[in-house]
Amino acid sequence: MSKFKKKKEGGLPPISTASLPDIVFMLLFFFMVATVIKEDNLLIENKLPSADQIEKLDKKNPVSYIYIGKPSANYVDKFGSEARIQLNDKYAGVEDIAPFIAAERAALREELLPKLTVALKVDSEANMGIVSDVKQELRKVNALKINYTTRKGDAVAGAEN
């Protein structure tokens, strides 16, 4: 009769889970940094015109995009072949621009409101009448900082560099 019992051989020691929260947070931060925020899905054809004297927009300032062009091949049957306006991920009319700009302004901090730039991404084949209508609506809502987005190239020949 012994007082002490021998430990049974075999069996694995339990796995330590002390570092598990650290690993989870490392993965969380990695995916937050490595993930790209989704851009708008283009519902229109958008072949930008060429320009030889271009400037990049300042990344610090907020930019709202308005796309103008003919509906892409998937949407021609439903929306026709006339140039259309796209705001975010849906087609819109000229009358929808004022609420769009109001919503964009509401999402910004107050000190960034005067720096809001509206970038027009207009297809090179688009009719200037719709662009003029968009500009008139932007004037009505006092969105006067407008940028025309182009691609780098020779403006006269239309060739891309």
Side-chain angles (χ1 to χ4, degrees):
M1 294 222 225
S2 71
K3 277 186 163 180
F4 302 105
K5 291 185 179 178
K6 282 191 172 180
K7 215 176 189 183
K8 291 186 177 178
E9 297 288 331
L12 297 171
I15 298 174
S16 173
T17 58
S19 64
L20 191 59
D22 295 335
I23 294 170
V24 169
F25 282 113
M26 253 190 333
L27 286 171
L28 176 70
F29 287 128
F30 171 76
F31 285 114
M32 284 174 54
V33 170
T35 303
V36 178
I37 296 175
K38 179 185 153 237
E39 294 289 324
D40 294 331
N41 290 330
L42 282 182
L43 307 175
I44 61 168
E45 291 178 10
N46 200 298
K47 183 177 179 243
L48 298 174
S50 299
D52 54 2
Q53 296 180 10
I54 60 174
E55 266 182 57
K56 285 197 177 233
L57 281 176
D58 191 8
K59 287 282 189 188
K60 294 182 284 188
N61 294 338
V63 179
S64 296
Y65 293 99
I66 297 177
Y67 301 94
I68 301 173
K70 295 178 184 177
S72 62
N74 300 340
Y75 301 99
V76 169
D77 295 338
K78 191 173 182 182
F79 295 105
S81 61
E82 284 295 314
R84 304 281 308 225
I85 300 169
Q86 179 182 340
L87 304 173
N88 292 333
D89 279 341
K90 62 180 188 226
Y91 289 118
V94 176
E95 66 279 354
D96 298 325
I97 292 175
F100 170 72
I101 296 297
E104 293 287 312
R105 286 181 174 157
L108 291 176
R109 295 190 318 258
E110 192 169 335
E111 64 269 11
L112 293 176
L113 287 177
K115 297 180 179 180
L116 176 66
T117 303
V118 178
L120 297 178
K121 290 192 170 189
V122 182
D123 185 53
S124 59
E125 305 279 321
N127 186 349
M128 275 307 288
I130 194 166
V131 176
S132 178
D133 293 344
V134 168
K135 286 175 51 178
Q136 289 288 23
E137 282 297 311
L138 290 172
R139 281 189 197 118
K140 287 179 186 174
V141 294
N142 203 26
L144 303 176
K145 284 184 80 172
I146 299 174
N147 174 18
Y148 290 96
T149 305
T150 64
R151 61 189 165 102
K152 190 172 174 95
D154 186 6
V156 178
E160 187 177 336
N161 288 341

